[in-house]
Amino acid sequence: MTTTGYSILRNPFLNKGTAFSAAEREQLGLTGTLPSQVQMIEEQAEQAYKQFQAKSPLLEKRTFLMNLFNENVTLFYHLMDQHVSEFMPIVYDPIVAESIEQYNEIYTNPQNAAFLSIDHPENIESSLKSVADGRDIKLVVVTDAEGILGMGDWGVNGVDIAVGKLMVYTAAAGIDPATVLPVSIDAGTNNKILLENPLYLGNKHERIAGEKYLEFIDKFVTAEQKLFPASLLHWEDFGRSNAQVILDKYKDSIATFNDDIQGTGMIVLAGIFGALNISKEKLVDQRFLTFGAGTAGMGIVNQIFSELKQAGLSDAEARSHFYLVDKQGLLFDDTEDLTEAQKAFTRSRKELVNSEQLDNLEAVVNEIRPTVLIGTSTQPGTFTEAIVKSMAQNTERPIIFPLSNPTKLAEATAENLIKWTDGKALIATGIPAANVTYKGVTYKIGQGNNALIYPGLGFGLVASTAKLLTQETISAAIHALGGLVDADEPGAAVLPPVSNLTEFSQKIAEITAQSVLKQGLNREKIADPKQAVQDAKWSAEY
Ligand SMILES: NC(=O)c1ccc[n+]([C@@H]2O[C@H](COP(=O)([O-])OP(=O)(O)OC[C@H]3O[C@@H](n4cnc5c(N)ncnc54)[C@H](O)[C@@H]3O)[C@@H](O)[C@H]2O)c1
Ligand SMILES: O=C(O)C[C@H](O)C(=O)O
Ligand SMILES: [Mn+2]
């Protein structure tokens, strides 16, 4: 890295803009490149926030923030620290979805992401090296964008999800932004809109699948581990047919996790614990219906399953608590096109007399009377009034989590769920939801989004120099989120609010680090895990 003159002003990790002091300006060869006033970061932040406020709509605000990031990373995070609840939905879900859809039209310098093309595996290592530019990379978020949120295949445009996830990592947990790397794997796209768009910036061919794809992934993992041996590798928004396969291949040999499978499983279980704290019921007494048994749905089922087993249930007993509904209806042993993950949780037709009729959600809800209904289906409005009322008739405090993102894909709105259940539903939504006031009670709505847990988990793993992520650590991190909400307050949310994100991410990070050390999975010697988290924490100051 060159660190003098214009090259420093153009390096977003080093640039302070007008905050360079006179002495620094002289020393770095910057005298005359900036107006004479030297600003404090607070003044720069105030100026930038006014500019941000003048932008409209939200997508313009996002572009403004991305350009600020491109210029001055410290100032970007200083501002984000001050406005985390306001910025989260802009930098991340749901506005990130709009930026992905319009990536080519609104293209700006891409926040130091690495772009790897399936057509050039020979460039993987050198590209990662160029983008890192000598930085000590500790965390990589990679996407191939085959399953962006619930919107399907978005090709190279999907890089924005990796960028957004990393921004949340730093804002929530305090990982040094100079030590992270967003990566786009451009395997082609099957999205016709993109292939026909003359402005499309990714590979203009169909998605490469199978052996060639998996070989590319393997080359990527090898290069990533070689260049950044102390890094954590976070997988995001891979397609249903690859996500679990890739995770299974690497999870026992390197520090890695899949956010959609594991992060989602974790936050949903934490949310269910929050709901059960309010209803004073037990996990082992619940019947779980998962609508949309894909990557996230099965991650959730497996996480709850593992917790039921920890509570002493046998495999068979634990499995008997789950019902999966996917496109085919309720999933039976003999249903066609089951995924490997689904096969372990199918039902037998013998158990249900009218199994032929259970080909839609409403019929299944009426028949099996779930106490917990999870939506990861990508199908908007599918938690209908009839379905929700049926649940409320059969259980005192139905737990209903419509989790599909972004906003336009949610299975139901929090407002309707409160109304249809006369305030009884215990709710978490994928995107942020406003409070709902109903019959004099103000209900706070928890955000059941993996962003409430992956930053603390990932940062704890990085700070403790973890070699692997185990189920034991996952479980410890989930429980770290418990007890943060006053369950007896009327209208309490099932999860803590995003405004407390930095505090609870710190707690999750500490508990994660403790768990890593307890299992002896740290690469480097660490005396005190809490101190290690503290020491690793970056703050957005010059
Ligand atoms: N809130 C969160 O933290 C969070 C985390 C991960 C995923 N999600 C959301 O969950 C949704 C699914 O994501 P994914 O990664 O699991 O995708 P996926 O493609 O792996 O799974 C979606 C599943 O829904 C099924 N499905 C499609 N149409 C259906 C229908 N009409 N009826 C029943 N099932 C149907 C598909 O067959 C598939 O199995 C997305 O909208 C995503 O944004 C939310
Ligand atoms: O990105 C999100 O908002 C959560 C989740 O990872 C998803 O894919 O929907
Ligand atoms: Mn995701």
Side-chain angles (χ1 to χ4, degrees):
M1 270 191 279
T2 329
T3 50
T4 55
Y6 273 119
S7 59
I8 193 169
L9 290 181
R10 289 187 186 130
N11 184 326
F13 301 106
L14 302 176
N15 187 21
K16 301 184 193 177
T18 52
F20 279 118
S21 68
E24 284 172 327
R25 292 178 191 199
E26 196 180 322
Q27 191 196 347
L28 298 168
L30 292 172
T31 308
T33 62
L34 295 159
S36 59
Q37 283 302 316
V38 173
Q39 286 184 302
M40 308 287 286
I41 197 164
E42 288 75 19
E43 293 167 313
Q44 289 181 311
E46 198 184 322
Q47 200 171 41
Y49 189 57
K50 286 207 175 109
Q51 292 168 14
F52 166 85
Q53 283 178 307
K55 305 280 175 203
S56 164
L58 292 172
L59 189 55
E60 292 270 331
K61 286 193 192 290
R62 187 175 194 282
T63 303
F64 172 80
L65 291 177
M66 294 304 116
N67 285 331
L68 181 61
F69 180 96
N70 284 336
E71 261 180 46
N72 183 334
V73 167
T74 310
L75 178 56
F76 169 88
Y77 283 112
H78 192 89
L79 197 58
M80 183 147 177
D81 280 351
Q82 293 171 346
H83 305 280
V84 69
S85 305
E86 183 180 5
F87 281 18
M88 275 274 287
I90 297 175
V91 159
Y92 178 63
D93 198 10
I95 300 302
V96 71
E98 287 179 33
S99 84
I100 289 171
E101 286 170 335
Q102 296 177 52
Y103 185 75
N104 309 289
E105 289 69 22
I106 63 171
Y107 180 77
T108 63
N109 192 357
Q111 294 78 44
N112 302 88
F115 295 89
L116 307 177
S117 163
I118 192 131
D119 301 331
H120 294 287
E122 72 283 5
N123 292 342
I124 295 175
E125 191 175 328
S126 59
S127 301
L128 291 173
K129 213 168 159 184
S130 301
V131 179
D133 193 22
R135 291 178 292 130
D136 181 14
I137 301 300
K138 300 268 179 63
L139 171 64
V140 171
V141 174
V142 60
T143 185
D144 79 346
E146 190 177 359
I148 288 292
L149 312 173
M151 309 187 306
D153 183 345
W154 281 89
V156 81
N157 300 20
V159 69
D160 275 358
I161 197 71
V163 168
K165 290 270 169 184
L166 281 166
M167 288 173 170
V168 176
Y169 263 111
T170 295
I175 191 160
D176 179 348
T179 67
V180 309
L181 192 71
V183 176
S184 152
I185 289 184
D186 183 354
T189 180
N190 297 336
N191 183 335
K192 282 213 171 59
I193 299 175
L194 296 181
L195 290 173
E196 286 165 10
N197 181 353
L199 292 180
Y200 181 53
L201 290 160
N203 284 326
K204 293 184 178 176
H205 59 67
E206 291 200 346
R207 216 165 249 285
I208 306 291
E211 194 109 318
K212 187 170 170 199
Y213 171 85
L214 290 173
E215 266 171 30
F216 188 89
I217 296 287
D218 204 49
K219 276 209 169 86
F220 160 68
V221 174
T222 305
E224 192 274 340
Q225 290 289 303
K226 178 180 162 198
L227 292 171
F228 320 123
S231 67
L232 170 68
L233 182 51
H234 165 148
W235 305 88
E236 191 68 48
D237 290 356
F238 282 69
R240 193 179 81 165
S241 56
N242 292 319
Q244 187 73 53
V245 171
I246 293 173
L247 178 63
D248 288 345
K249 186 160 174 190
Y250 300 105
K251 73 178 188 326
D252 297 325
S253 52
I254 62 171
T256 194
F257 75 98
N258 180 297
D259 184 39
D260 299 289
I261 299 173
Q262 295 163 297
T264 313
M266 292 172 75
I267 194 62
V268 172
L269 182 53
I272 291 173
F273 282 139
L276 296 174
N277 260 344
I278 296 171
S279 67
K280 317 279 183 237
E281 290 181 32
K282 293 201 189 106
L283 191 71
V284 292
D285 295 331
Q286 308 306 311
R287 271 189 310 281
F288 303 94
L289 198 166
T290 304
F291 182 60
T295 310
M298 293 316 300
I300 294 164
V301 166
N302 276 300
Q303 197 53 59
I304 303 170
F305 174 71
S306 153
E307 194 71 24
L308 288 173
K309 287 195 56 189
Q310 265 186 44
L313 271 60
S314 70
D315 259 38
E317 280 167 346
R319 280 184 215 288
S320 73
H321 287 253
F322 298 94
Y323 296 83
L324 313 180
V325 176
D326 208 279
K327 279 182 190 152
Q328 307 97 314
L330 183 64
L331 300 186
F332 290 102
D333 314 345
D334 62 357
T335 303
E336 294 199 350
D337 299 326
L338 293 173
T339 66
E340 280 310 308
Q342 290 167 348
K343 280 180 190 163
F345 292 93
T346 50
R347 311 298 302 200
S348 148
R349 286 197 187 267
K350 278 183 265 161
E351 304 170 50
L352 296 149
V353 275
N354 57 344
S355 72
E356 295 307 324
Q357 282 137 43
L358 301 180
D359 61 356
N360 66 85
L361 183 62
E362 188 171 340
V364 179
V365 168
N366 290 337
E367 176 66 26
I368 66 125
R369 289 173 283 131
T371 60
V372 180
L373 176 62
I374 308 284
T376 44
S377 66
T378 75
Q379 301 301 307
T382 41
F383 292 177
T384 60
E385 184 168 356
I387 287 171
V388 170
K389 286 198 160 148
S390 163
M391 263 195 91
Q393 251 171 27
N394 294 312
T395 181
E396 180 55 26
R397 301 299 308 267
I399 298 175
I400 308 181
F401 290 2
L403 298 177
S404 286
N405 293 323
T407 320
K408 62 185 173 194
L409 299 183
E411 285 85 0
T413 62
E415 200 179 351
N416 278 337
L417 293 177
I418 294 284
K419 204 168 67 190
W420 296 337
T421 61
D422 201 26
K424 297 288 190 199
L426 296 163
I427 303 164
T429 51
I431 32 100
N435 292 347
V436 177
T437 302
Y438 176 80
K439 292 193 179 166
V441 178
T442 296
Y443 295 87
K444 296 184 184 130
I445 311 299
Q447 191 179 351
N449 190 299
N450 46 35
L452 274 79
I453 207 150
Y454 76 73
L457 174 78
F459 187 54
L461 293 172
V462 168
S464 62
T465 71
K467 286 187 267 198
L468 290 176
L469 170 60
T470 61
Q471 188 53 43
E472 183 174 330
T473 302
I474 288 178
S475 181
I478 294 168
H479 287 277
L481 253 186
L484 293 176
V485 175
D486 177 3
D488 294 323
E489 187 195 326
V494 303
L495 284 163
V498 168
S499 53
N500 295 351
L501 186 63
T502 51
E503 287 102 78
F504 62 76
S505 294
Q506 161 120 10
K507 187 171 167 203
I508 297 164
E510 288 172 1
I511 288 183
T512 298
Q514 267 165 9
S515 168
V516 169
L517 262 62
K518 190 173 144 226
Q519 296 166 83
L521 289 173
N522 42 316
R523 273 196 198 87
E524 291 170 23
K525 226 173 143 187
I526 289 170
D528 176 357
K530 273 195 179 179
Q531 193 59 43
V533 168
Q534 199 50 45
D535 293 346
K537 221 172 151 146
W538 177 82
S539 65
E541 303 292 339
Y542 296 132

